[in-house]
Amino acid sequence: MPAVSKGDGMRGLAVFISDIRNCKSKEAEIKRINKELANIRSKFKGDKALDGYSKKKYVCKLLFIFLLGHDIDFGHMEAVNLLSSNKYTEKQIGYLFISVLVNSNSELIRLINNAIKNDLSSRNPTFMCLALHCIANVGSREMAEAFAGEIPRILVAGDTMDSVKQSAALCLLRLYKASPDLVLMGEWTSRVVHLLNDQHMGVVTAAISLITCLSSKNPDEFKTCVSLAVSRLSRIVSSASTDLQDYTYYFVPAPWLSCKLLRLLQCYPPPEDGAVKGRLVECLETILNKAQEPPKSKKVQHSNAKNAILFEAISLIIHYDSEPNLLVRACNQLGQFLQHRETNLRYLALESMCTLASSEFSHEAVKTHIETVINALKTERDVSVRQRAADLLYAMCDRSNAKQIVAEMLSYLETADYSIREEMVLKVAILAEKYAVDYSWYVDTILNLIRIAGDYVSEEVWYRVIQIVINRDDVQGYAAKTVFEALQAPACHENMVKVGGYILGEFGNLIAGDPRSSPLVQFNLLHSKFHLCSVPTRALLLSAYIKFINLFPETKATIQEVLRSDSQIRNSDVELQQRAVEYLKLSSIASTDVLATVLEEMPPFPERESSILAKLKKKKGPGAVSVELEDGKERGELNGGGDRGGDAAIAASNASTPSPSADLLGLRSAAPVSGATPSAGSLLVDVFSEAGPAATSAGVNDDGFLSALHAPEASDSPLVEGPGDSDSAPPTAASEDPAPPLPESDELLNKFVCKNNGVLFENQLLQIGIKSEYRQNLGRMYLFYGNKTSVQFVSFNTTVSCPGELQSQLNVQTKTVEPLVEGGAQVQQVINIECLTDFIDAPLLNIKFRYGGALQNISLKLPVTINKFFQPTEMAAADFFQRWKQLSQPQQEAQKIFKASHGMDTEVLKAKLLGLGTALLENVDPNPENYVCAGVIQTKAQQVGCLLRLEPNAQAQPGEQMYRLTLRSSKDTVSQRVCDLLAEQF
Amino acid sequence: MIGGLFIYNHKGEVLISRVYRDDIGRNAVDAFRVNVIHARQQVRSPVTNIARTSFFHVKRSNIWLAAVTKQNVNAAMVFEFLYKMCDVMTAYFGKISEENIKNNFVLIYELLDEILDFGYPQNSETGALKTFITQTGIKSQSKEEQSQITSQVTGQIGWRREGIKYRRNELFLDVLESVNLLMSPQGQVLSAHVSGRVVMKSYLSGMPECKFGMNDKIVIDKQGKGGGATGQSIAIDDCTFHQCVRLSKFDAERSISFIPPDGECELMRYRTTKDIILPFRVIPLVREVGRTKLEVKVVIKSNFKPSLLAQKIEVRIPTPLNTSGVQVICMKGKAKYKASENAIVWKIKRMAGMKESQISAEIELLPTNDKKKWARPPISMNFEVPFAPSGLKVRYLKVFEPKLNYSDHDVIKWVRYIGRSGIYETRC
C-alpha cells in the first residue's frame, strides 16, 4: 500500500478551495466555480491524456463543487478510470466520487461493477475494503445483484483479514436491508453464526449487527447463535476491565458489543437449555451487581457505557419476563435511577419501568415507587419526562392505588402542559372507569375532569359517562344530583352542559322531589346555558327539553313557549329548526301515552370495549396501553355484575372493536365512524334498533320518527370481535341432528328474564343478537346472526322447535333465513310468538351451518318466558291487599327464601322488577323496604292476575343478605314458574 | 409605515440599524440575514415576507438596504424611499460601500432621523437636507438663520431656500433613457420599452418660475392642429414628476411649470412603448455541428444617423455549460471567452451609425451523460448612444424671475441626450 505522503495533497485543490472560501459573495463564488468547471472541461477533453495525479485532482475538485450544491454532469468516466489505478489515493478518490455522485441507474454501473469485482478478487486488503465500502455506500439493487453472492464468501473465508471481514459483514448488512430478497444466506448461516466466536472483537461487533438483522427476519435459522452469544457475553462480562485492551472504553469492557449481544438475545425467547440459561442469568446478575459498584471513573463516558449495558440487560429481563428475582432487582435498580440527577437516566428509568409494570412479577415492586413517580410528575422540568411519569402512573395503576393515582393525575392536570393534556384526560377517564369501585366516585371524577380540563375532554369521554350512567341504575340518581350541582357553577364547560342536558333529560325525575331541584329549576338552569353553547349542544338540549315534557308535564307550557320562540323555530341552523318544529308538534299533538312511549328512557347501551381505550390506543399506537393485560378480568367484574346492561358474553372480549364514536343523539353532522370493521354501524342506529319501537327517543328527527316507530330496520349492530367467551367454545359436533342445548343456555335464558334485548350467544364464529317486543299475548323477536369471520357460512339454517307439551302452549312462527351468510355480514330473522296458555319450558333454537367445510351445530334456548306476557297493573294499596287476600289458597301462592347473589341496591332492584314486566307499586307495603308488584299475564286462553312481594333483609351483613319472595296468582303453575324465574335474578 | 431600516454588508453583518416602531424587534435583523442574504437561491424577490413581517430590499454593490414593516404599506413608496436614500447617501459621501458607510455612520443616523419620522418619509431633497445636515462640523448659526431654516422646511416651498444668488444663471438638462428590448431570432420585436428621466441641474438666482416643454403628443396635437411637427411627437405612457412641479397645472393644461430646487434634481420620469428607435439590431446564427461542436455567428447593425457615435458597446453571447474550448474571430473590437460567466464577451469602443460588424466563434463541447438540452439563453447587449431612443425632444425651458432682473435670454441652457441599453436581448 503506497503511503499517503503529505506532499501528495493536491495543491491545486487547496488553492481552489481557499479561493472559494475567500469569495465575498455568492455571485463571486459562482463565477469562480464556472471558471474552474471550464478549466476542468478543457482538461477532460478527449484528445489529451492526463496522468493519474491530475485526474485525481480534477475529480476531487468536481466532488468539492458537487458538495457545494452545484450540478456535475461530467467527469464520471474519469472517476471510473481512477478505479483501475494501483495507487491507493487515486482509487480512494475514485470510489469516493462514485459513492457520492453516481446514481444507481447510470450506464457506468457495469464498468464500476467490473472494477469492484477486480478489487474484491485482488487479495489486497485495503483495495478489498475500499470496494466493500463503495458497495455499501451505493447499496443499490444492481450492486446487490452483482455482489450478494460474493460477499458472504469473503465474510466466511478463512484467509480473509479481520478488517476485510468487518467491512464485509457491514456491507452485507446494508445490502440485506436494501434488498433482502437477493441476499440468500442459506449455506452460510452456520458459518456466519460462528463469527461470534472470532478472536477479533471488531469482527464480532460487525458480525453481530448482521446476525441481529438476519435473525429478526428468520429466527429459526439462527437459533444456534443464542448459546454462542451467551458464552461470548459471559466472557466479556466476567473479564476485568483491562483484559480487552483496545475494546475497553473508559474501564467498561466492550460496551457496544455487550449491548448488541443483549439486543440479539432479545430476538429470542429464554434459552431452553438449563446450562445456557443459568449462564445468562449469571451474566445478567453480574451486570446488575456491577451497577451497584462504585464507578471507576468520574467521566460521563464511563457511566454512559455502563448504563447502556444495564438498560439493555433490563430490557432483556423484561423481554424474558420469567425471572421474578431479576425483574424485582431490575425494578429496584430503576428505582434508584428515578432519583438520579441525570435527566436522561430518569427518563429511561421511567420508560423501562412502564414495561416492567405490566409484568406480573414486578408489578408490585413497581408500585413501591409511586411516591417518587408522583413527585416526578409534579417537579420534573422536562415535559417529556413528565409524560413518561404520567405513562408509568397509568401503567402501575390497579385497584389498590387507583383513587390515589387518579386524584394525583387530576390535580396535575390543572397545571399540565397543553401537549399532553388530552392524553392525560383519556388516561384519567379510563382509570376511573376501570377501577371504579363505586360509581358515584366515577361520576365525580369524570365531572371533575370536565370541570378542570373541559377543552381536552373528547367526545368519547363524555359518551362513556353517559353510557355508564344509563347502564347502571344505581348511579343515575346520584349522577343527576351531581350534574345538577355542577351546572350551577356560573361558568361551566360545554361538555358539562352536554352531560348535564343528557342526564337531566333522562333522570331529572330522580331529583325532582327536592324543591331545590324542581323540574322548573332544572329546566331554567339548563336553559340559562343554552345561548352560550354551540349548535350540536343546543340540539342536545332541545332533545333534553322534549324529554322534560314527558318527565314533568308541568313544564310543558314553559318548554313549548321556548320551542315556539323565533330563535328556535326560525333558527337559521336547519338542524335546530327541525328539532324545534318537530318537538313542538310532538308535544302538542301526541297524547301522553304516545309521548311516554316515544320519549321513554334510553335503553341500556350494549357493552363493548370502552371507546376511550380505543382512542388512547389510536393515539399512542399499540403497546402503549400496557395495562390492557388485565382488561379481561377487570372488565368482567365491572360489567358482568348482573345488571341488565352487563353482558358477560361480550365483556370478556378486549380486542379492538369499532368504537362507538357516533353521536349519542344522532346529530347528523357529527358521526365520525372510526371503526375499522366494515360492519361498524354507528351507535345511533344501534340505539334505535335495540330500543325497538318503544323508545325512539331523541333521534326522532333523523329519519322521521314515524317510520322509526314502526319499522325497526335490521341494523348492523357492531359485532364484537376477538376471543369470545372461553366457556362457549364452538361446538364441532358434526351430526345433522340438532345438538343438545348448550349447558349454559339455561343461564343465558335467565339473563333475559328482565330484559328484552341483548346478545344471546357468542363464540369465535357467530354472534346472535336478540331484540324482542311483546304486546298482550303476542310477541315478536328479531334474531340477528352475525358472521364474525371473513369466510362465508354455507347452508345456514335455523329452526325453532317447541319440545313436549310446549307445542300446545306456544305458537311459534319463523321465517327462513338466507342459506348464505357472507363474512362479516349479519342476517336477521323474525320470529312471531303467540302465547296460547301459560308455559314453563322455553322453545329451542337450533342453528346449523358449514364453516370452511366443518358442520357447526348449535342449540340454544330462546329467551321466551312467561313473564314476557305480563301487562303491568297499577292499583292502590287497598285494592292490592284486597286482591292479595282473595288469592289466599295455598296452591295459589309460591314462596321462596334465597340468598342475595348481588348487592341490595334499591335502584337495581326496582329496575329488575320493572323489567319483569309488572307494575311496581309504591307506598303499598307498610314496610318501605319491601317491594310489591302487580301484573296480568296475557295468554290466548286466559288472563292470569299476578301479585308479587319481595322482602329483603337489607340490614344483614353483606353475604348474609336474604330475600323472601312471595307470589300469588290465580293459577298455581304461573305462581311457581314466575317465582322460579325471579329467584334467579337477585 | 416603515418599521425599521437596516443596512447590511455582503456577509450579512448589520452596519446600520434604525428601528422606528416597536413592532420590529432585533430578531427581524437576523430573519432577513438568514432568509434573504444567505438564501440558497440565486434570484431573490425584492419583497420578502417572513413571519408576517415584510422586508423590502435594494442592493447597491455589496451593500443591502432593507426596510422592514409589519404593516401593509405601499411597496412602491418604500422602494421610492430606498432609492431616494441611496441618492442622498451618494450625494453626501459618494459611492455606497461598506467602507464609506462605516466612516459616515454618525451622518447616516442623522440623515435617517431627518428623512424618516416614526416610519413616515419626510423631506429627502438633498439640497434642502444639506442646508441643515452638514459634514463640516457644527457651524454656530444665528437665531435668524435657524428660524429661516424652520420656515423653509415647514413652508410651502420646502425644497428651495430664498436668497440664492448666482453671478451666472446656468441650467443643465439631461435626458437619460434606457431602452429595453426582447427580439426573436428572426428580428421580430417581442417586447420593447424605454424608461427615461429628465435630470436638471440649475444654478439660478432667486425663486425662478420655470416652464418646461417637450414633444408630448397630446400637447403638440392641441397646439399644432395639423401643424408639420406632429411626426416627431411622442406618446408618453406614464410619467411622474418631482414634487416641485405643479401637478394641478399639468392636469389642467398639461404644461410643466415649477420652481426648481437648487442644484440637481430629477424633474420627471416617464415610459414609452411606441415608435421606439432601436439603436442596434443583432442577427444571431447558431449551428450545431455534431454533439461536440457549435458554430456561432453574430452580426450587429447600428441603426441611427451616421453622424452619431455609439459608445461602450458590449455583446454577450452565452455558451453552453459543457463548453470545453472556444475560438473567436471578430472584425472589430475585442472578443474573449469568459469561463466564469459562461459567455463570449465582445467589446467595441465606438461605432458610427448605419454600420455593421460581425463575430464568429467555434465552441467545442464536452460530451456529457446528461440528456438535458442547452436552454440557449438570449444574446444580450450594452451600449450608449447620444440621442433619446424614445424620440423625446426638449422644445423649450423658459425661466421667469419676476423679482430679480434677469430674463429668460440671460440664462445659459444646456441640453444633453443619452440613451443607454437596459435589458437589450435577442434570442438565438
Side-chain angles (χ1 to χ4, degrees):
Chain A
M1 171 183 151
V4 190
S5 68
K6 281 237 166 81
D8 209 20
M10 302 164 277
R11 212 178 103 75
L13 178 68
V15 169
F16 173 60
I17 292 175
S18 76
D19 276 0
I20 295 273
R21 297 228 163 114
N22 289 333
C23 279
K24 293 232 162 163
S25 64
K26 188 102 195 140
E27 289 71 22
E29 182 184 312
I30 290 167
K31 277 189 177 169
R32 181 70 186 86
I33 285 169
N34 279 338
K35 195 176 150 197
E36 194 59 46
L37 283 176
N39 177 33
I40 299 171
R41 280 196 297 262
S42 70
K43 290 290 195 293
F44 281 176
K45 243 188 314 191
D47 47 356
K48 280 176 214 155
L50 284 173
D51 58 5
Y53 167 77
S54 22
K55 217 181 266 177
K56 176 181 78 176
K57 185 176 74 182
Y58 293 128
V59 167
C60 251
K61 283 183 180 174
L62 285 180
L63 193 54
F64 182 75
I65 292 170
F66 177 77
L67 293 178
L68 282 178
H70 299 264
D71 277 342
I72 297 295
D73 50 8
F74 64 100
H76 301 76
M77 200 57 220
E78 282 73 14
V80 173
N81 287 343
L82 280 178
L83 295 187
S84 51
S85 159
N86 271 328
K87 282 202 178 125
Y88 172 78
T89 50
E90 287 166 20
K91 216 182 244 300
Q92 183 199 25
I93 295 295
Y95 274 124
L96 191 60
F97 186 90
I98 283 159
S99 332
V100 174
L101 253 144
V102 174
N103 48 6
S104 50
N105 52 9
S106 166
E107 307 150 0
L108 292 169
I109 218 85
R110 197 135 29 94
L111 285 171
I112 295 167
N113 282 356
N114 209 21
I116 291 175
K117 215 162 255 170
N118 286 338
D119 277 341
L120 283 184
S121 53
S122 72
R123 320 201 61 79
N124 180 335
T126 44
F127 290 178
M128 286 173 93
C129 278
L130 278 178
L132 286 168
H133 294 169
C134 180
I135 296 170
N137 278 332
V138 176
S140 65
R141 220 180 148 72
E142 289 77 12
M143 286 276 184
E145 271 165 10
F147 302 109
E150 176 85 356
I151 297 170
R153 197 185 53 72
I154 295 173
L155 179 59
V156 297
D159 54 349
T160 316
M161 298 262 295
D162 288 337
S163 57
V164 180
K165 272 188 189 172
Q166 286 182 47
S167 299
L170 294 176
C171 180
L172 196 58
L173 174 62
R174 156 80 189 176
L175 291 185
Y176 181 75
K177 279 180 178 164
S179 22
D181 53 319
L182 291 177
V183 182
L184 303 167
M185 290 311 290
E187 48 201 299
W188 310 113
T189 305
S190 66
R191 300 176 71 181
V192 169
V193 169
H194 276 96
L195 285 175
L196 287 178
N197 271 338
D198 201 286
Q199 294 294 312
H200 193 262
M201 295 288 263
V203 176
V204 183
T205 313
I208 200 162
S209 297
L210 176 66
I211 293 169
T212 308
C213 180
L214 289 171
S215 62
S216 62
K217 290 278 159 53
N218 25 346
D220 289 342
E221 286 181 35
F222 287 86
K223 230 175 196 159
T224 45
C225 71
V226 173
S227 59
L228 288 178
V230 170
S231 63
R232 188 90 217 186
L233 183 66
S234 81
R235 258 180 286 159
I236 295 171
V237 167
S238 57
S239 69
S241 56
T242 48
D243 285 359
L244 296 166
Q245 285 154 4
D246 284 355
Y247 288 88
T248 299
Y249 176 80
Y250 288 88
F251 307 106
V252 182
W256 280 275
L257 184 52
S258 312
C259 285
K260 283 182 175 177
L261 284 166
L262 287 164
R263 202 166 286 173
L264 173 63
L265 290 173
Q266 284 174 45
C267 301
Y268 290 94
E272 284 140 18
D273 184 354
V276 177
K277 187 167 184 185
R279 209 162 169 200
L280 179 58
V281 168
E282 208 173 281
C283 283
L284 292 171
E285 273 172 351
T286 318
I287 292 171
L288 286 172
N289 286 339
K290 275 192 182 172
Q292 297 297 334
E293 287 169 15
K296 293 199 178 86
S297 156
K298 276 188 181 139
K299 290 251 172 62
V300 68
Q301 289 94 331
H302 172 70
S303 60
N304 276 351
K306 222 165 92 174
N307 290 334
I309 300 175
L310 182 60
F311 273 107
E312 268 323 318
I314 288 174
S315 46
L316 181 65
I317 293 169
I318 295 170
H319 170 74
Y320 283 167
D321 197 14
S322 59
E323 299 285 330
N325 179 27
L326 284 176
L327 279 164
V328 171
R329 281 196 66 185
C331 180
N332 293 339
Q333 184 60 49
L334 291 176
Q336 285 179 18
F337 284 145
L338 280 185
Q339 279 154 330
H340 205 275
R341 65 194 156 75
E342 273 278 317
T343 311
N344 288 338
L345 270 184
R346 291 199 300 271
Y347 180 93
L348 288 169
L350 287 167
E351 198 182 29
S352 306
M353 250 195 194
C354 233
T355 41
L356 266 181
S358 57
S359 163
E360 52 178 321
F361 300 115
S362 53
H363 186 76
E364 288 304 315
V366 171
K367 267 165 67 183
T368 56
H369 300 289
I370 182 164
E371 292 304 330
T372 324
V373 180
I374 287 172
N375 201 33
L377 186 65
K378 284 176 180 161
T379 56
E380 275 298 344
R381 283 162 71 194
D382 189 323
V383 62
S384 59
V385 184
R386 289 199 296 272
Q387 162 102 52
R388 290 289 146 254
D391 285 350
L392 179 53
L393 273 184
Y394 177 73
M396 66 163 66
C397 190
D398 64 10
R399 201 168 283 279
S400 67
N401 53 14
K403 279 202 176 172
Q404 185 194 4
I405 286 179
V406 168
E408 288 295 346
M409 284 174 100
L410 263 181
S411 70
Y412 171 64
L413 201 53
E414 292 189 59
T415 51
D417 299 83
Y418 294 104
S419 53
I420 63 171
R421 275 199 187 179
E422 190 181 352
E423 204 188 308
M424 292 278 296
V425 166
L426 287 176
K427 284 182 170 165
V428 171
I430 290 166
L431 291 180
E433 181 190 334
K434 193 152 66 178
Y435 300 117
V437 188
D438 69 291
Y439 278 88
S440 50
W441 175 74
Y442 171 72
V443 171
D444 278 343
T445 307
I446 298 296
L447 291 183
N448 251 334
L449 195 63
I450 295 175
R451 192 174 50 74
I452 293 170
D455 284 340
Y456 299 91
V457 174
S458 53
E459 303 274 275
E460 284 84 354
V461 174
W462 76 264
Y463 289 174
R464 193 69 194 152
V465 193
I466 283 172
Q467 283 177 11
I468 286 182
V469 169
I470 288 191
N471 289 3
R472 306 280 316 190
D473 312 5
D474 48 345
V475 80
Q476 286 161 357
Y478 180 78
K481 191 163 142 267
T482 324
V483 164
F484 179 76
E485 278 160 11
L487 280 178
Q488 274 167 334
C492 53
H493 195 268
E494 191 163 336
N495 280 338
M496 184 72 91
V497 179
K498 286 181 186 165
V499 177
Y502 201 104
I503 288 184
L504 290 182
E506 294 290 333
F507 310 115
N509 55 334
L510 298 179
I511 55 166
D514 191 332
R516 281 168 299 173
S517 53
S518 71
L520 216 54
V521 174
Q522 286 185 32
F523 170 73
N524 285 336
L525 182 63
L526 277 184
H527 198 57
S528 68
K529 315 282 183 202
F530 186 87
H531 304 281
L532 306 170
C533 294
S534 62
V535 170
T537 312
R538 288 185 185 198
L540 188 151
L541 284 178
L542 286 181
S543 301
Y545 295 171
I546 186 75
K547 289 217 153 193
F548 267 46
I549 293 185
N550 176 40
L551 289 178
F552 320 116
E554 65 265 37
T555 58
K556 188 171 176 175
T558 323
I559 291 173
Q560 279 184 337
E561 193 57 43
V562 169
L563 290 176
R564 204 177 286 124
S565 72
D566 278 357
S567 61
Q568 307 301 352
I569 211 159
R570 296 204 180 137
N571 196 299
S572 59
D573 188 274
V574 73
E575 173 72 37
L576 291 182
Q577 193 186 72
Q578 190 175 3
R579 280 190 190 224
V581 170
E582 285 183 5
Y583 291 163
L584 186 60
K585 274 283 169 249
L586 182 68
S587 67
S588 46
I589 291 174
S591 69
T592 38
D593 287 350
V594 173
L595 213 55
T597 317
V598 172
L599 302 170
E600 207 191 355
E601 188 177 303
M602 286 299 274
F605 289 90
E607 274 306 332
R608 61 188 91 200
E609 185 197 19
S610 161
S611 53
I612 316 176
L613 208 58
K615 173 153 179 164
L616 186 69
K617 267 190 224 163
K618 211 164 62 188
K619 213 173 148 61
K620 299 270 289 196
V625 193
S626 48
V627 242
E628 240 210 292
L629 298 169
E630 304 160 326
D631 256 7
K633 36 188 184 186
E634 298 292 349
R635 193 162 288 281
E637 278 170 54
L638 178 66
N639 297 318
D643 55 309
R644 58 190 177 121
D647 193 339
I650 315 179
S653 75
N654 59 356
S656 75
T657 56
S659 75
S661 57
D663 192 337
L664 284 171
L665 284 176
L667 302 184
R668 257 170 282 168
S669 54
V673 178
S674 59
T677 337
S679 68
S682 71
L683 188 60
L684 164 69
V685 186
D686 216 27
V687 169
F688 278 150
S689 57
E690 302 252 351
T696 41
S697 82
V700 187
N701 52 342
D702 229 2
D703 321 293
F705 60 89
L706 287 176
S707 67
L709 268 175
H710 292 304
E713 285 167 62
S715 71
D716 42 354
S717 60
L719 294 177
V720 182
E721 281 193 59
D725 195 340
S726 54
D727 295 340
S728 53
T732 43
S735 81
E736 289 291 323
D737 306 323
L742 293 175
E744 72 269 24
S745 60
D746 270 325
E747 204 177 296
L748 288 172
L749 195 63
N750 279 331
K751 273 193 339 180
F752 283 90
V753 168
C754 291
K755 65 175 185 175
N756 287 340
N757 307 324
V759 173
L760 177 66
F761 170 79
E762 182 169 21
N763 64 14
Q764 282 94 328
L765 309 174
L766 182 71
Q767 188 199 42
I768 305 174
I770 200 164
K771 217 169 63 181
S772 47
E773 49 187 293
Y774 296 92
R775 287 279 149 80
Q776 313 249 327
N777 66 328
L778 299 176
R780 177 177 291 175
M781 188 176 274
Y782 298 88
L783 288 172
F784 299 96
Y785 304 100
N787 181 351
K788 299 204 317 186
T789 66
S790 50
V791 186
Q792 62 184 23
F793 295 158
V794 195
S795 13
F796 192 84
N797 179 32
T798 67
T799 47
V800 177
S801 57
C802 297
E805 59 179 358
L806 193 62
Q807 219 144 13
S808 59
Q809 294 163 336
L810 216 55
N811 186 2
V812 181
Q813 292 174 331
T814 56
K815 289 182 185 155
T816 51
V817 287
E818 290 286 314
L820 217 65
V821 185
E822 292 295 334
Q826 199 182 47
V827 292
Q828 182 194 7
Q829 187 178 29
V830 182
I831 301 174
N832 288 318
I833 304 156
E834 188 185 11
C835 178
L836 302 172
T837 178
D838 64 290
F839 59 96
I840 292 171
D841 267 335
L844 285 179
L845 170 69
N846 179 253
I847 304 146
K848 279 188 230 154
F849 59 92
R850 285 187 178 275
Y851 166 67
L855 181 74
Q856 308 285 331
N857 191 345
I858 302 167
S859 278
L860 298 166
K861 281 190 179 172
L862 270 185
V864 181
T865 46
I866 184 72
N867 67 302
K868 299 288 179 194
F869 302 97
F870 255 125
Q871 193 87 346
T873 322
E874 295 283 348
M875 55 181 78
D879 256 356
F880 181 85
F881 286 111
Q882 193 194 346
R883 293 189 192 199
W884 184 263
K885 275 171 201 147
Q886 279 169 4
L887 300 168
S888 55
Q889 291 168 13
Q891 69 270 30
Q892 285 175 327
E893 183 183 278
Q895 191 172 62
K896 258 198 177 175
I897 297 171
F898 54 91
K899 240 183 184 174
S901 46
H902 311 294
M904 280 190 182
D905 193 294
T906 319
E907 294 299 324
V908 177
L909 283 176
K910 277 187 184 169
K912 282 188 179 168
L913 289 170
L914 283 173
L916 187 69
T918 53
L920 184 65
L921 305 177
E922 308 260 3
N923 307 325
V924 169
D925 200 288
N927 183 355
E929 296 274 296
N930 295 352
Y931 304 90
V932 290
C933 302
V936 177
I937 289 177
Q938 307 266 359
T939 67
K940 199 181 180 190
Q942 61 186 133
Q943 299 190 343
V944 184
C946 199
L947 302 173
L948 179 155
R949 192 175 190 201
L950 182 69
E951 296 155 285
N953 64 336
Q955 278 74 35
Q957 291 294 316
E960 291 172 16
Q961 288 177 326
M962 305 286 275
Y963 289 105
R964 185 167 67 193
L965 178 69
T966 317
L967 261 153
R968 285 188 181 186
S969 73
S970 48
K971 203 166 179 188
D972 50 354
T973 46
V974 173
S975 303
Q976 202 53 51
R977 178 62 184 151
V978 175
C979 189
D980 287 347
L981 281 174
L982 207 55
E984 295 299 317
Q985 299 299 316
F986 299 105
Chain B
M1 286 307 108
I2 296 170
L5 203 135
F6 306 122
I7 301 180
Y8 299 85
N9 67 5
H10 71 279
K11 288 185 204 149
E13 294 162 346
V14 199
L15 304 176
I16 300 284
S17 145
R18 179 77 172 85
V19 175
Y20 292 95
R21 284 172 175 247
D22 292 338
D23 53 358
I24 303 299
R26 290 289 303 180
N27 52 354
V29 178
D30 300 326
F32 182 76
R33 179 179 59 236
V34 172
N35 290 295
V36 183
I37 300 183
H38 292 166
R40 297 285 310 167
Q41 69 267 33
Q42 303 289 301
V43 184
R44 296 178 181 88
S45 157
V47 184
T48 318
N49 213 308
I50 307 160
R52 293 165 160 239
T53 311
S54 307
F55 294 82
F56 306 82
H57 79 261
V58 296
K59 204 180 169 198
R60 284 290 146 97
S61 66
N62 272 334
I63 297 298
W64 301 75
L65 278 91
V68 191
T69 181
K70 281 213 160 171
Q71 285 162 312
N72 185 15
V73 297
N74 183 345
M77 184 276 284
V78 177
F79 282 110
E80 180 66 35
F81 171 78
L82 287 175
Y83 285 126
K84 202 80 201 173
M85 196 181 140
C86 292
D87 290 348
V88 170
M89 289 200 289
T90 316
Y92 269 94
F93 51 76
K95 193 170 172 279
I96 297 176
S97 65
E98 189 176 346
E99 186 82 5
N100 276 347
I101 286 179
K102 279 180 175 166
N103 290 339
N104 291 290
F105 82 96
V106 177
L107 172 76
I108 293 173
Y109 277 115
E110 216 174 330
L111 285 172
L112 284 175
D113 278 344
E114 196 56 47
I115 58 180
L116 266 183
D117 190 3
F118 195 45
Y120 291 97
Q122 306 293 312
N123 192 351
S124 53
E125 196 57 53
T126 316
L129 285 171
K130 277 194 170 166
T131 59
F132 46 87
I133 298 175
T134 56
Q135 287 165 286
T136 51
I138 299 158
K139 196 169 63 186
S140 62
Q141 283 164 321
S142 67
K143 266 256 157 52
E144 228 169 66
E145 280 173 81
Q146 278 176 355
S147 67
Q148 203 184 353
I149 286 174
T150 316
S151 71
Q152 186 227 315
V153 169
T154 56
Q156 220 175 10
I157 306 168
W159 57 88
R160 189 178 180 97
R161 64 191 167 90
E162 279 183 67
I164 298 170
K165 273 223 165 65
Y166 287 102
R167 211 159 54 80
R168 238 155 73 112
N169 288 308
E170 237 177 340
L171 188 152
F172 301 87
L173 212 54
D174 281 352
V175 177
L176 307 172
E177 292 193 340
S178 81
V179 54
N180 300 284
L181 169 77
L182 182 63
M183 193 178 252
S184 75
Q186 289 75 34
Q188 193 186 356
V189 175
L190 302 173
S191 89
H193 74 269
V194 172
S195 60
R197 37 198 211 116
V198 179
V199 177
M200 181 174 156
K201 208 177 219 176
S202 63
Y203 303 100
L204 300 171
S205 313
M207 297 293 266
E209 179 79 38
C210 302
K211 208 169 169 192
F212 175 65
M214 55 182 179
N215 55 345
D216 181 3
K217 198 169 185 180
I218 299 171
V219 180
I220 301 286
D221 286 356
K222 217 194 274 177
Q223 291 171 347
K225 285 193 180 128
T230 42
Q232 284 170 5
S233 64
I234 61 159
I236 288 175
D237 283 12
D238 49 57
C239 55
T240 56
F241 293 102
H242 189 262
Q243 59 168 335
C244 65
V245 174
R246 297 194 182 86
L247 291 178
S248 54
K249 242 179 178 169
F250 179 75
D251 287 341
E253 310 161 22
R254 249 187 130 73
S255 71
I256 303 164
S257 66
F258 54 94
I259 297 170
D262 196 35
E264 195 174 310
C265 79
E266 187 186 277
L267 184 62
M268 76 178 279
R269 241 183 260 176
Y270 58 90
R271 205 168 67 92
T272 69
T273 47
K274 288 206 187 73
D275 303 324
I276 294 165
I277 307 156
L278 295 173
F280 285 95
R281 168 86 207 278
V282 177
I283 304 158
L285 210 81
V286 179
R287 203 159 66 89
E288 280 176 49
V289 188
R291 276 190 68 196
T292 57
K293 208 168 165 190
L294 202 65
E295 281 181 5
V296 180
K297 202 165 98 174
V298 177
V299 180
I300 57 167
K301 284 184 179 170
S302 58
N303 184 26
F304 46 87
K305 269 190 266 176
S307 57
L308 298 174
L309 271 180
Q311 282 180 309
K312 299 177 192 167
I313 299 152
E314 184 185 291
V315 181
R316 180 177 291 263
I317 305 159
T319 54
L321 291 174
N322 55 344
T323 305
S324 61
V326 178
Q327 276 99 48
V328 208
I329 308 159
C330 60
M331 293 170 12
K332 218 177 160 193
K334 281 179 192 162
K336 206 179 163 191
Y337 167 59
K338 287 201 171 166
S340 60
E341 289 154 49
N342 282 325
I344 299 166
V345 180
W346 176 26
K347 284 180 176 165
I348 304 168
K349 274 193 182 139
R350 254 177 239 101
M351 191 167 172
M354 307 313 278
K355 289 261 168 51
E356 73 172 65
S357 187
Q358 186 187 322
I359 183 172
S360 51
E362 246 178 44
I363 300 171
E364 282 175 80
L365 303 176
L366 193 74
T368 64
N369 47 3
D370 237 4
K371 298 289 181 290
K372 265 187 286 176
K373 223 172 153 2
W374 180 44
R376 289 205 185 198
I379 295 169
S380 64
M381 194 175 173
N382 290 317
F383 54 81
E384 204 178 291
V385 287
F387 62 92
S390 67
L392 182 128
K393 288 266 173 358
V394 176
R395 285 172 60 218
Y396 56 82
L397 201 149
K398 292 173 190 157
V399 180
F400 311 98
E401 172 52 70
K403 283 182 192 153
L404 299 171
N405 54 349
Y406 69 92
S407 72
D408 186 35
H409 303 290
D410 301 331
V411 180
I412 306 159
K413 298 170 193 164
W414 306 87
V415 179
R416 180 166 68 159
Y417 298 92
I418 299 173
R420 290 202 182 93
S421 58
I423 296 165
Y424 201 86
E425 291 178 335
T426 307
R427 290 191 180 152
C428 60

